[in-house]
Amino acid sequence: MNLYDRIPNNVNLSEDKKLQRALEKWLPNYLDWWREMGPEGFQEKDVWLRTAVDVGSEGWAHFDYVKMPDYRWGIFLEPPQPDARVGFGDNYGRPAYQEVPGEFRNALRRIIVTQGDTEPASVEQQRQLGKTCPSLYDLRNLFQVNVEEGRHLWAMVYLLHGYFGRDGRDEADELLERRSGNPDKPRILEAFNQPCDDWLNFFAFTMFTDRDGKYQLSALAESGFEPLARTCQFMLTEEAHHMFVGDTGLGRVCRRTAQLMKEGDVRELGGIPLEIIQKYINFWFSYSLDLFGGEISSNSADFFAAGLKGRYKERDQYTDHSATNENFTMTIVEDGQLKTREVPLRNALNEVLRGEYVKDCEKGLARWNKVLAEEGASERLYLPHPRFHRHVGEFAGHTFDLQGNLISREEFESRKSEWLPTIEDREYVRSLMHPVFEVGKIANWIAPPAAGIKGKPFDYEYVRL
Ligand SMILES: [Fe+2]
Ligand SMILES: [Fe+2]
């Protein structure tokens, strides 16, 4: 572990002078980007952050006060497995690739760039949120997520620089040039160009959009291209915290809303009505589903065949790793009607991964509904049907209600304001967003967390202002 190198790493960077020089050249550009596009207004503050210092499952993180620009962003890969093999596809059982297989070079670069682009994008989307934090605990969690997304960018840039030559270096530069929501140089995926300018958006984003990240990274963590697999395995350990922030954040909003419902009108009492929470769920869940790609995809078949992108828990969950003899039944739209179609399983792997994701999201909904029940509310939250409000794949270009029934565009337009956040909803939520910077205090629209961070109480000075 070379923690005190200019770029902390566990990949023996100092033995690869060319790569080290390239990354050291990229470092100041990264820091410029961080100062320009990272959290606004808090760069010089001490934040109680965890920093990766070891990839072991125990004690890999070190907690201390750090100014964000001084965070030790580094390159950490899970240790190599002895005798690693390709775990699926046509090359099943052959030695894992240590270099990029030539015919998949462009495709793999695209996967890494697309994943890498989401990391700085989310930092950009969230850069104003610190100014309206509901508590110092939440402010610290926001910044923890932000610095780790920065480290995930490093993880992807390491792969681009290390394995893709000049093209990879150019792509790494461009990752710092695109900007979330900028019409001239937008981020690659649409969910990452949507504004995330209030904390309800932030919690829904970390719940639903970071969770897409978990499933993409899990599929790549199975990869037969070993450096990619080991990189993604370690990113997943950090990603778990991001989803915790979103999941528990929305749970706390639900708790507070249910408490206020017992006292009277939630709006008059300064809380967030359940209908608005539901609309935010509908919005972010549907945009996040798009991130899995088209339902029927020859790319997914090619990546699987090549042993580059597996299924969720491919090694643990499946016995047949070739996926050649099976079909997958899916619903599509044909001649203006919903029909079922049999698709070779390998062409349906985006949909298979999306299905795993939906199951995981349902567990989150069950947790929030348990909170509502605990507080005596009879209302329940739910996920919209996966066909609802889609912009990618088989259902893009068609309109559906929350139950997944095909409806006319006119009907969708006339009912949209019941289903998705309106400008008024967003303005109302924004009107509640006043910062609470006092130690141990919390905004009125959210309940405090069940516990603090790493054994510290809620009323700990997580950020020194
Ligand atoms: Fe990430
Ligand atoms: Fe994340």
Side-chain angles (χ1 to χ4, degrees):
M1 187 69 49
N2 302 313
L3 194 60
Y4 296 99
D5 285 6
R6 213 168 150 214
I7 300 167
N9 70 92
N10 70 344
V11 293
N12 283 330
L13 195 55
S14 57
E15 284 170 23
D16 187 341
K17 290 291 174 213
K18 197 170 161 225
L19 178 58
Q20 187 179 28
R21 266 199 305 276
L23 287 169
E24 284 181 355
K25 229 175 115 189
W26 190 79
L27 172 66
N29 298 336
Y30 171 80
L31 287 173
D32 286 347
W33 167 80
W34 177 271
R35 287 189 180 278
E36 187 195 328
M37 296 310 294
E40 197 176 285
F42 297 89
Q43 299 277 356
E44 298 313 316
K45 305 297 180 193
D46 285 317
V47 187
W48 201 65
L49 291 175
R50 74 173 179 189
T51 305
V53 293
D54 187 0
V55 297
S57 57
E58 284 301 307
W60 62 269
H62 175 75
F63 285 76
D64 205 349
Y65 285 103
V66 183
K67 291 182 180 39
M68 284 183 277
D70 300 335
Y71 187 79
R72 306 283 295 163
W73 284 287
I75 296 162
F76 299 105
L77 276 62
E78 285 290 316
Q81 298 289 326
D83 192 35
R85 304 266 157 180
V86 177
F88 53 91
D90 295 344
N91 298 325
Y92 175 74
R94 299 218 190 125
Y97 320 123
Q98 298 304 325
E99 290 296 330
V100 183
E103 70 271 41
F104 289 102
R105 197 182 157 82
N106 288 345
L108 198 57
R109 193 184 66 210
R110 193 74 200 149
I111 290 181
I112 292 170
V113 167
T114 305
Q115 176 65 42
D117 194 64
T118 66
E119 317 287 357
S122 65
V123 174
E124 292 166 2
Q125 284 168 291
Q126 296 161 15
R127 65 190 298 261
Q128 302 292 347
L129 285 173
K131 296 171 188 166
T132 56
C133 67
S135 71
L136 289 184
Y137 165 92
D138 291 289
L139 185 63
R140 177 261 168 213
N141 282 348
L142 167 70
F143 295 155
Q144 184 71 58
V145 170
N146 292 158
V147 293
E148 285 175 355
E149 300 304 9
R151 204 204 66 75
H152 291 176
L153 174 59
W154 271 95
M156 294 294 115
V157 163
Y158 161 72
L159 293 173
L160 290 170
H161 274 240
Y163 297 90
F164 294 88
R166 166 179 267 280
D167 298 351
R169 291 195 292 278
D170 290 346
E171 294 280 13
D173 291 342
E174 285 168 34
L175 285 169
L176 297 176
E177 285 160 17
R178 286 185 286 272
R179 292 287 181 270
S180 175
N182 184 319
D184 298 327
K185 43 179 183 176
R187 292 293 174 182
I188 295 169
L189 297 168
E190 242 352 88
F192 293 86
N193 287 310
Q194 302 295 324
C196 188
D197 47 7
D198 67 60
W199 281 75
L200 190 59
N201 272 323
F202 174 62
F203 292 137
F205 183 94
T206 39
M207 170 72 192
F208 292 110
T209 309
D210 281 75
R211 195 172 304 274
D212 156 74
K214 168 184 167 182
Y215 282 84
Q216 299 304 330
L217 293 173
S218 298
L220 296 174
E222 301 285 336
S223 183
F225 176 41
E226 215 205 1
L228 177 63
R230 289 167 53 208
T231 302
C232 292
Q233 282 155 15
F234 185 63
M235 289 165 75
L236 281 166
T237 59
E238 290 166 319
E239 209 57 60
H241 173 69
H242 308 178
M243 288 173 289
F244 164 85
V245 169
D247 191 345
T248 56
L250 276 170
R252 290 160 54 211
V253 177
C254 291
R255 185 176 298 285
R256 186 63 186 144
T257 296
Q259 288 167 350
L260 293 173
M261 283 160 69
K262 286 183 273 191
E263 291 173 28
D265 183 87
V266 174
R267 265 177 196 262
E268 277 170 22
L269 294 166
I272 303 179
L274 278 183
E275 311 86 79
I276 294 187
I277 300 175
Q278 182 65 57
K279 289 183 191 180
Y280 274 58
I281 292 171
N282 297 345
F283 180 88
W284 284 107
F285 178 67
S286 57
Y287 265 113
S288 302
L289 290 174
D290 282 339
L291 298 172
F292 289 82
E295 278 70 12
I296 302 170
S297 161
S298 59
N299 273 345
S300 80
D302 292 346
F303 290 153
F304 188 86
L308 294 176
K309 187 176 176 186
R311 288 171 287 187
Y312 181 62
K313 297 194 171 164
E314 176 72 42
R315 282 160 221 250
D316 299 340
Q317 181 164 228
Y318 297 94
T319 46
D320 170 15
H321 297 293
S322 77
T324 33
N325 299 320
E326 279 175 75
N327 282 338
F328 185 91
T329 310
M330 66 169 72
T331 305
I332 54 153
V333 182
E334 210 174 72
D335 305 326
Q337 285 185 325
L338 289 172
K339 301 220 169 122
T340 54
R341 184 194 281 179
E342 295 275 301
V343 181
L345 180 57
R346 281 187 178 187
N347 291 78
L349 293 180
N350 288 346
E351 184 62 7
V352 171
L353 195 60
R354 189 166 18 236
E356 297 278 1
Y357 167 84
V358 172
K359 275 195 281 178
D360 202 12
C361 291
E362 277 165 357
K363 290 183 199 159
L365 268 292
R367 282 189 287 273
W368 304 334
N369 283 330
K370 191 161 160 271
V371 168
L372 293 177
E374 279 167 15
E375 296 293 340
S378 55
E379 290 82 350
R380 294 293 176 263
L381 296 165
Y382 53 88
L383 290 177
H385 195 281
R387 288 196 284 271
F388 172 76
H389 190 234
R390 293 287 301 282
H391 299 83
V392 170
E394 289 295 311
F395 308 116
H398 303 283
T399 37
F400 299 89
D401 65 12
L402 290 177
Q403 287 73 41
N405 300 309
L406 196 55
I407 56 172
S408 69
R409 179 151 299 277
E410 293 70 42
E411 188 180 352
F412 181 85
E413 288 301 326
S414 71
R415 299 191 62 190
K416 191 165 85 170
S417 62
E418 297 166 40
W419 297 336
L420 293 165
T422 60
I423 291 172
E424 294 75 37
D425 294 332
R426 291 178 186 281
E427 278 171 0
Y428 175 71
V429 172
R430 260 204 299 273
S431 77
L432 301 178
M433 301 287 132
H434 302 294
V436 177
F437 290 136
E438 274 168 273
V439 176
K441 293 270 160 48
I442 188 141
N444 177 51
W445 53 268
I446 184 170
I453 301 284
K454 189 75 179 171
K456 299 281 188 232
F458 171 66
D459 61 358
Y460 183 70
E461 193 176 14
Y462 288 104
V463 185
R464 289 183 181 147
L465 296 172

